[in-house]
């Protein structure tokens, strides 16, 4: 008997034996599925995109350079310099955008925010592929904002009808002290609303850390429950992570934000 | 959609059967294929071939457990692809690793090589697996049928990798004894 004969025979063992293990695997699949598949997939997509956009950018640069030399002759005018100044001025304005309960007032403690993952998976996808992975909108009577992504692990169907998946993991919420979306509020309840979601989530877990845990990887998180789609904020500043599962055939997402609740 | 309904679509020669299968079992089958092939594109090819095999085999087959039926096809197709691609060069995958481990169950090279009937051999293995405690059986099937990594198989049984490794070793030794007793090994 050879190794291969034995492997072939193992592929023909009784169905009920396989089924009992299969059930167990499916129950634990979302937490134990190997990351290497997803990393491999993501790496390939990123490589493809870098090549595509890199060659496109190089071509455009070449064309613009040749055109510029042809028409202007290489001299920089005062008007060009003014345009450049405006450009930098606009960038500064963009970086000063905040999300706060009071949209018009910049609080002393406010920190610039991000409104998406460090690397948006949408940006790394081949053209024509869109993933309707769910976003989380967090709101109360004072404000509404989109929570940052932390982990994305999502199955989707591509333009050719193939089942594909995407995964992305941003840096840990506790490492995002300067970049995490921040909320300062006087209201204790926050409503969670999912957009582009394929029905109701199967499970929602809310993890939180006290703000003294910033940059402390060893800090243990606490958990709280979601009731009627709402979470009850703790008094003071906390980092919240919302881990949402839509089932093994759909995926798991996790979102994070910082909220500082102080009652009036 | 329930498995019965999907199987009924195959029997009605309705092409939506493949889409429903893909929706329900796409990533499950891809995981099995990837464990063997360690390549995403090959895994996709294997899963697509699985749909084709399912389409061609239903009817006449009417599997009672669709997931297991498809898993067996994917496993077989993936192993065929692996053997085709790796006749000259053997690459690291859970399949090659598990093949090496399964040497324990084979003869030591001093005995007469015997061509075994795969079906009879599968029956003998099944009967041996039924005699095992549930934990050992789950671990063995996870590792050698689904070709899960040792880490994943251990996690499935809530045990450490070292414990899983020694349990698998004992199980393979037991299988070797059983196969010898059944006349598959001399």
């Amino acid at each position: 008997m050879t190794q291969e004969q034995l492997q072939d025979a193992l592929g023909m063992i009784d169905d009920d034996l396989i089924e009992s293990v299969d059930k167990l695997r499916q129950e634990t699949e979302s937490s134990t599925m190997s990351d290497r598949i997803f990393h491999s997939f993501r790496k390939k997509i990123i490589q493809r995109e870098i090549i595509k956009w890199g060659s496109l950018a190089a071509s455009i640069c070449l064309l613009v350079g040749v055109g510029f030399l042809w028409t202007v002759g290489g001299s920089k005018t005062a008007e060009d310099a003014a345009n450049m100044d405006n450009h930098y001025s606009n960038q500064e304005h963009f970086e000063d955008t905040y999300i706060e309960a009071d949209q018009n007032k910049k609080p002393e403690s406010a920190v610039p925010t991000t409104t998406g993952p460090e690397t948006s998976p949408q940006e790394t996808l081949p053209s024509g592929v869109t993933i309707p992975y769910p976003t989380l909108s967090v709101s109360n009577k004072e404000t509404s904002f989109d929570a940052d992504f932390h982990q994305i692990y999502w199955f989707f169907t591509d333009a050719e009808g193939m089942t594909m998946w995407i995964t992305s993991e941003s840096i840990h919420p506790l490492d995002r002290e300067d970049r995490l979306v921040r909320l300062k509020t006087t209201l204790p309840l926050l409503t969670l609303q999912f957009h582009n979601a394929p029905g109701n989530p199967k499970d929602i877990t809310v993890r939180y850390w006290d703000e003294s845990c910033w940059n402390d990887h060893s800090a243990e998180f606490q958990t709280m429950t979601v009731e009627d789609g709402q979470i009850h904020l703790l008094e003071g500043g906390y980092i919240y992570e919302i881990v949402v599962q839509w089932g093994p055939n759909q995926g798991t997402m996790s979102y994070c934000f910082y909220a500082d609740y102080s009652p009036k | 959609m329930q498995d019965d309904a999907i199987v009924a679509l195959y029997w009605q020669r309705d092409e939506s059967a493949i889409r429903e299968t893909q929706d329900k079992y796409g990533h499950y089958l891809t995981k099995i294929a990837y464990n063997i092939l360690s390549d995403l594109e090959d895994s996709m090819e294997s899963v697509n071939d699985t749909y084709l095999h399912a389409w061609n085999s239903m009817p006449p087959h009417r599997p009672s457990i669709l997931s297991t039926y498809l898993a067996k096809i994917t496993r077989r197709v993936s192993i065929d692809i692996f053997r085709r691609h790796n006749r000259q060069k053997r690459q690291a995958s859970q399949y090659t690793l598990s093949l090496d481990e399964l040497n324990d169950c084979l003869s030591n090279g001093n005995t007469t090589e015997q061509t075994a009937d795969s079906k009879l051999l599968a029956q003998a293995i099944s009967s041996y697996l039924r005699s095992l405690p549930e934990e050992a059986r789950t671990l063995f099937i996870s590792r050698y049928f689904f070709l899960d990594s040792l880490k994943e198989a251990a996690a499935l049984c809530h045990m450490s990798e070292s414990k899983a490794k020694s349990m698998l070793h004992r199980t393979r030794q037991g299988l070797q004894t059983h196969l010898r007793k059944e006349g598959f090994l001399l």
Side-chain angles (χ1 to χ4, degrees):
Chain A
M1 190 187 355
T2 63
Q3 283 178 336
E4 292 184 348
Q5 281 175 320
L6 185 57
Q7 269 294 356
D8 289 344
L10 280 165
M12 295 162 70
I13 58 175
D14 294 346
D15 284 357
D16 60 316
L17 292 170
I18 300 166
E19 194 196 9
S20 61
V21 179
D22 199 13
K23 278 182 184 164
L24 261 180
R25 287 175 85 250
Q26 286 188 27
E27 281 167 16
T28 56
E29 189 172 2
S30 59
S31 57
T32 60
M33 185 174 276
S34 171
D35 287 342
R36 65 204 163 99
I37 302 177
F38 308 115
H39 290 312
S40 153
F41 171 67
R42 191 154 179 264
K43 199 174 160 189
K44 280 187 180 176
I45 286 178
I46 290 170
Q47 281 172 349
R48 219 177 289 158
E49 287 298 294
I50 287 171
I51 292 166
K52 190 173 97 182
W53 292 110
S55 54
L56 187 65
S59 308
I60 290 171
C61 285
L62 190 66
L63 282 173
V64 169
V66 169
F68 183 75
L69 287 171
W70 182 265
T71 56
V72 181
S75 65
K76 186 182 174 184
T77 64
E79 196 182 340
D80 292 333
N83 285 340
M84 191 64 82
D85 287 346
N86 278 340
H87 170 73
Y88 285 116
S89 162
N90 287 340
Q91 267 200 342
E92 281 164 20
H93 175 73
F94 174 75
E95 285 168 7
D96 277 342
T97 306
Y98 295 83
I99 293 176
E100 270 291 322
D102 183 351
Q103 295 284 359
N104 298 321
K105 194 175 174 185
K106 176 181 162 185
E108 285 174 15
S109 60
V111 175
T113 63
T114 57
T115 55
E118 307 310 302
T119 308
S120 165
Q122 293 281 21
E123 290 167 12
T124 63
L125 286 171
S127 57
V129 177
T130 54
I131 305 173
Y133 58 79
T135 56
L136 170 61
S137 156
V138 183
S139 61
N140 60 17
K141 285 180 184 169
E142 291 177 344
T143 188
S144 171
F145 62 92
D146 284 342
D148 284 351
F149 290 101
H150 175 218
Q151 287 175 320
I152 298 171
Y153 162 45
W154 199 251
F155 288 85
F156 63 99
T157 305
D158 72 1
E160 292 169 357
M162 292 281 290
T163 300
M164 308 283 276
W165 53 81
I166 185 98
T167 185
S168 170
E169 183 169 353
S170 328
I171 55 173
H172 195 275
L174 293 180
D175 287 332
R176 291 202 235 172
E177 183 174 3
D178 296 333
R179 286 183 283 178
L180 200 63
V181 64
R182 286 181 169 239
L183 166 73
K184 197 175 176 73
T185 183
T186 57
L187 300 174
L189 287 178
L190 277 183
T191 303
L192 307 179
Q193 206 172 2
F194 300 99
H195 303 287
N196 290 329
N200 292 327
K202 290 207 168 147
D203 184 52
I204 305 180
T205 308
V206 180
R207 300 170 177 172
Y208 63 90
W209 297 263
D210 182 86
E211 63 182 343
S212 64
C213 299
W214 283 122
N215 304 311
D216 177 7
H217 290 171
S218 61
E220 292 279 324
F221 59 78
Q222 307 288 314
T223 58
M224 63 168 64
T225 54
V226 176
E227 288 172 9
D228 299 327
Q230 291 187 311
I231 59 172
H232 204 290
L233 294 177
L234 299 166
E235 204 172 324
Y238 286 86
I239 302 106
Y240 295 87
E241 183 184 13
I242 319 288
V243 183
V244 194
Q245 292 187 359
W246 271 273
N249 281 317
Q250 203 59 72
T252 302
M253 305 283 294
S254 109
Y255 313 84
C256 49
F257 59 89
Y258 168 88
D260 182 0
Y261 163 54
S262 45
K264 281 179 184 171
Chain B
M1 186 180 269
Q2 294 294 310
D3 286 357
D4 290 349
I6 297 175
V7 173
L9 288 175
Y10 278 104
W11 275 68
Q12 292 158 18
R13 311 310 290 157
D14 184 337
E15 288 181 8
S16 64
I18 292 178
R19 196 172 57 248
E20 294 295 340
T21 307
Q22 190 179 32
D23 288 347
K24 190 166 183 183
Y25 293 113
H27 87 264
Y28 162 76
L29 298 174
T30 307
K31 170 79 168 80
I32 294 172
Y34 191 87
N35 279 349
I36 296 167
L37 295 163
S38 297
D39 181 278
L40 194 66
E41 283 175 16
D42 285 348
S43 304
M44 294 292 186
E45 180 193 335
S46 165
V47 173
N48 285 333
D49 283 355
T50 301
Y51 299 141
L52 184 66
H53 277 71
W55 178 258
N56 291 334
S57 61
M58 288 187 282
H61 288 285
R62 191 183 278 276
S64 53
I65 309 166
L66 184 60
S67 61
T68 308
Y69 182 72
L70 294 170
K72 281 184 170 180
I73 296 176
T74 303
R75 190 179 185 281
R76 195 179 64 235
V77 169
S78 302
I79 288 174
D80 285 347
I81 292 174
F82 182 90
R83 286 173 185 167
R84 198 170 65 228
H85 287 189
N86 295 277
R87 277 194 187 116
Q88 293 174 335
K89 182 185 167 189
R90 299 186 85 197
Q91 67 182 47
S93 83
Q94 292 305 325
Y95 175 65
T96 48
L97 290 174
S98 77
L99 271 186
D100 291 341
E101 289 174 17
L102 284 168
N103 268 333
D104 289 2
C105 309
L106 301 173
S107 54
N108 295 325
N110 299 326
T111 55
T112 311
E113 198 168 300
Q114 179 178 336
T115 304
D117 182 309
S118 293
K119 278 188 183 171
L120 290 174
L121 186 55
Q123 280 172 12
I125 295 171
S126 296
S127 75
Y128 169 70
L129 292 177
R130 285 182 200 287
S131 72
L132 292 176
E134 191 179 345
E135 197 177 45
R137 185 168 61 236
T138 301
L139 188 66
F140 189 90
I141 293 173
S142 167
R143 180 76 183 115
Y144 300 118
F145 178 83
F146 289 103
L147 288 311
D148 290 329
S149 67
L150 184 63
K151 187 180 175 184
E152 289 169 320
L156 187 71
C157 298
H158 307 290
M159 62 175 71
S160 67
E161 282 184 53
S162 57
K163 185 180 174 188
K165 204 171 177 179
S166 65
M167 187 178 277
L168 281 172
H169 179 71
R170 284 197 303 275
T171 310
R172 290 194 304 265
Q173 295 293 333
L175 178 60
Q176 188 188 37
T177 309
H178 180 79
L179 293 180
R180 186 169 286 128
K181 211 181 288 178
E182 295 286 320
F184 288 97
L185 296 171
L186 294 178

